[in-house]
């Protein structure tokens, strides 16, 4: 009887591990702009970071454009590789109403360069802030 009870309790514990719901932790970008902190010395004090569907539409438009493809080609020649769409930063300048997009590129040494676009127009490359 003891063995039967042990097997029954063990089976009940094992079954509860697979059947019950768990609490999974999922990492995600913040969706509330008030929780995002920007450095004070960035020179862009009146900007709002964009997230979600609005950000995704802007990113898709940028990476499908010829200006991005030309910038990517030139940076690839210099040994830089694009970090992917999820690393692109999108900001809206509140006073001017323009959209600012920063696309990070990294080389073998870990140096990061941001290709900067204002309203879809390529404005140049800038070393990314290491802070």
């Amino acid at each position: 009887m003891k063995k039967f009870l042990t097997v029954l309790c063990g089976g009940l514990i094992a079954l509860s591990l697979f059947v019950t719901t768990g609490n999974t932790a999922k990492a995600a970008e913040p969706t509330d702009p008030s929780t995002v902190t920007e450095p004070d010395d960035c020179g862009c004090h009146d900007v709002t970071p964009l997230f979600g569907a609005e950000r995704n539409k802007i990113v898709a438009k940028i990476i499908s454009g010829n200006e991005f493809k030309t910038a990517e080609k030139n940076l690839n020649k210099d040994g830089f590789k694009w970090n992917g769409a999820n690393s692109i930063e999108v900001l809206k300048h509140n006073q001017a109403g323009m959209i600012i997009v920063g696309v990070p590129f990294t080389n073998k040494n870990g140096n990061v360069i941001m290709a900067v676009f204002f309203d879809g127009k390529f404005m140049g490359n800038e070393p990314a802030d290491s802070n």
Side-chain angles (χ1 to χ4, degrees):
M1 186 68 175
K2 260 187 176 178
K3 289 182 184 181
F4 177 72
L5 196 57
T6 303
V7 170
L8 183 65
C9 289
L12 183 62
I13 291 171
L15 184 63
S16 69
L17 288 174
F18 296 110
V19 174
T20 59
T21 60
N23 184 8
T24 58
K26 296 181 181 178
E29 290 186 41
T31 56
D32 182 14
S34 65
T35 62
V36 177
T37 58
E38 292 290 328
D40 291 335
D41 61 347
C42 74
C44 299
H45 297 289
D46 194 19
V47 296
T48 304
L50 299 179
F51 299 103
E54 186 178 10
R55 176 202 173 273
N56 292 342
K57 288 177 188 176
I58 294 167
V59 168
K61 186 176 180 180
I62 290 288
I63 63 177
S64 64
N66 289 331
E67 295 207 23
F68 172 77
K69 292 174 184 176
T70 303
E72 181 183 23
K73 184 178 176 183
N74 292 337
L75 285 168
N76 283 341
K77 288 179 186 176
D78 295 336
F80 286 90
K81 299 290 181 198
W82 179 36
N83 294 347
N86 60 346
S87 63
I88 295 177
E89 297 178 21
V90 180
L91 304 171
K92 180 178 182 182
H93 194 279
N94 296 326
Q95 289 180 342
M98 67 176 49
I99 303 296
I100 306 165
V101 179
V103 182
F105 287 82
T106 309
N107 67 2
K108 295 187 251 188
N109 301 332
N111 298 330
V112 179
I113 294 242
M114 293 292 273
V116 181
F117 297 83
F118 279 54
D119 285 335
K121 302 293 180 196
F122 179 65
M123 300 307 282
N125 302 321
E126 208 40 54
D129 189 17
S130 61
N131 292 340

